[in-house]
Amino acid sequence: MLFKSLKNFCPYIIILLAILLNIIARLSVRFCDFYVIHIFPLIVGTYGRLISIFPFSVGEIMLYAAAFLVVLLFLGGFVCVFANSVKRLYQLYAKTCLWLAAIFFFIITTNCFILFHCSPITEFYVIGNGGGPRENGEERIFGVDEITILRNYVVESVNELAEMLNRNEVGYLIYEGDIAGKVELEMKRLGESYDRLAGYYPRPKPLLLSNFFSQQYMMGYFFPFSMEATYNTSMYIINKPKTIAHELLHVKGFMYEDEANFLAFLACAGSEDEFFRYSGYLGILNYVERDFINAIGNDRAAYRSQPQIIDLVHRDNIFLTPAAWEQVEKNAVFSTDFVREISNEILEVNLTLNGVSDGTLSYGRVISLLLKYYDGVLY
């Protein structure tokens, strides 16, 4: 009787434990830092390694299965109103869903939510000469001059690299080689400077329904409940190195998007492979352009006085090729506008609930880290 009673309460105990962990994470940065350094790598090396056995994305399958189970849960409740004969079966199904929800909540807490409350990367590592406080105790403040120099450096880099790479007969980039495997090597190289990046990496996996994720404008996705870094196979090939690196950084506990963007840039930009370097610089181009234009007050004359982005770069600076977009729209079940709106709302809510007050705008904070990184190098 006691065992049966405990069994009935187990899902609630798991949920309460997950809630307790979330509360501790919000109250104690030291707990979160200890967790990401000492506990989380063990989860990656065991649970992540186990899931890596499967050649497909287990997390993506889980996502679709969860949506299906929720629909059945609501439909079953509706049917029970009119058919008493299925109530016992429905109760058993509801209990199963409760167990799955409790386990899901606990796993996403340990593999994601806690990590959002760690110290920022600037407290783990000194980022360039601008990473620490000045002699007077104040952080270095970067202005228009530094943003302009950084922007011009990025523009000149992409302009040069764009003309060095192999292209097909219609001018789109091509790459022969194992991009995912190469990214892992670049991440391990970067781990020599940033020790949290050392150790085991689960193999990045392609998204099964890449066209559906293209409608969400998703280049990649980290599934915390399966510890998988996935990438969109429909997107333009130049996006793959920096995207795979970005998602692998989430696997290493860097949940903030600006930090993942920053380290993904370093992994790609530090490569000996021109294709990877181009992917890295192109990945931050839009962010640095936006900040530069804001810094000069949208002054067109001031903008034109600086190095301009060549047409070849503009052509490469895309999410999908026109042909890929045509395939996406052709096979779409829902309109892209609808899917993207729903996806953006979910992403905004997720980031905001985890303490990222500016939501998806946080991706662009990578420029602050880059300004610190290049302090003493470019200016």
Side-chain angles (χ1 to χ4, degrees), residues 40-196:
F40 188 66
L42 299 178
I43 299 175
V44 176
T46 53
Y47 180 59
R49 194 183 296 269
L50 176 64
I51 297 297
S52 286
I53 295 173
F54 299 93
F56 54 86
S57 173
V58 176
E60 188 178 359
I61 299 296
M62 287 180 177
L63 186 66
Y64 304 142
F68 179 71
L69 291 174
V70 169
V71 170
L72 281 185
L73 188 66
F74 281 101
L75 288 178
F78 180 75
V79 171
C80 283
V81 174
F82 302 98
N84 289 329
S85 58
V86 299
K87 276 190 175 181
R88 287 180 66 91
L89 181 62
Y90 178 73
Q91 288 173 351
L92 178 62
Y93 176 72
K95 286 182 180 179
T96 302
C97 286
L98 177 62
W99 267 98
L100 291 174
I103 293 169
F104 170 84
F105 183 39
F106 183 82
I107 290 177
I108 203 171
T109 292
T110 57
N111 293 357
C112 181
F113 293 162
I114 292 175
L115 307 175
F116 269 106
H117 302 287
C118 295
S119 297
I121 189 173
T122 50
E123 293 187 23
F124 277 101
Y125 306 104
V126 174
I127 306 299
N129 293 328
R134 298 300 176 186
E135 292 182 0
N136 59 7
E138 296 180 357
E139 287 286 335
R140 165 78 181 272
I141 297 176
F142 301 100
V144 177
D145 291 343
E146 290 81 11
I147 292 175
T148 301
I149 293 170
L150 175 62
R151 180 264 176 192
N152 290 347
Y153 169 70
V154 173
V155 168
E156 289 167 356
S157 296
V158 292
N159 286 348
E160 179 183 358
L161 288 164
E163 297 179 328
M164 299 170 60
L165 302 175
N166 295 326
R167 298 175 182 272
N168 62 18
E169 63 278 2
V170 294
Y172 288 119
L173 291 162
I174 56 176
Y175 186 84
E176 296 181 1
D178 180 9
I179 292 178
K182 176 78 172 170
V183 170
E184 184 178 340
L185 293 176
E186 299 297 350
M187 296 292 287
K188 289 182 176 178
R189 172 189 54 78
L190 192 61
E192 295 173 5
S193 300
Y194 299 86
D195 56 358
R196 280 175 56 187

Side-chain angles (χ1 to χ4, degrees), residues 248-266:
L248 283 176
L249 281 156
H250 289 326
V251 176
K252 284 297 183 177
F254 291 93
M255 298 309 299
Y256 289 116
E257 300 298 342
D258 55 328
E259 296 181 357
N261 279 342
F262 170 68
L263 290 171
F265 167 77
L266 295 188

